[in-house]
Amino acid sequence: MTPRSELTRSLLSVLDGIPGLRPASPAASPGGAGVPWNLDALAVGIDDDLVEIRVVALALPLPPLLRAAEAALSTALEGTRWNDARLRLVVTDVDDGALAAVTRVTAAARRP
């Protein structure tokens, strides 16, 4: 296993423990179900000076969620050659469930 693939695995493990976010990986199609690698790894890009993780938001509001994710994911970079790399989280989509929850809260607040 290469250092990049080890870091990818570590980052995905940390992300798995963060409620409200998931990796922005391609949807599995019938033909893709037998792919011999973790499709979530496609959500992680590791360069010498930048680590980018593409995510889908499952909850709102985004700012506190992303701050918590950044803090947790930064720990996975410690002690690696990417310790000083910039960490960038890119929200590629917001899940319908997160939007529906906001709509329900807003509608409830408007009721007399």
Side-chain angles (χ1 to χ4, degrees):
M1 187 172 283
T2 69
R4 274 189 170 86
S5 60
E6 287 178 19
L7 180 60
T8 297
R9 177 180 275 169
S10 177
L11 290 167
L12 289 172
S13 176
V14 171
L15 186 60
D16 188 47
I18 300 171
L21 295 176
R22 70 167 174 81
S25 54
S29 64
V35 174
W37 63 83
N38 182 354
L39 288 175
D40 288 348
L42 296 174
V44 179
I46 300 173
D47 220 352
D48 290 337
D49 58 349
L50 175 68
V51 174
E52 181 178 280
I53 305 169
R54 291 164 296 284
V55 297
V56 173
L58 305 174
L60 296 171
L62 283 175
L65 184 60
L66 294 174
R67 281 192 297 272
E70 181 181 16
L73 291 162
S74 292
T75 62
L77 299 176
E78 292 175 4
T80 71
R81 71 183 221 201
W82 295 278
N83 189 59
D84 295 325
R86 189 166 47 113
L87 174 62
R88 178 170 41 199
L89 297 173
V90 179
V91 179
T92 63
D93 200 2
V94 177
D95 187 82
D96 287 344
L99 295 174
V102 170
T103 303
R104 283 191 302 272
V105 168
T106 303
R110 289 184 184 162
R111 291 186 189 140

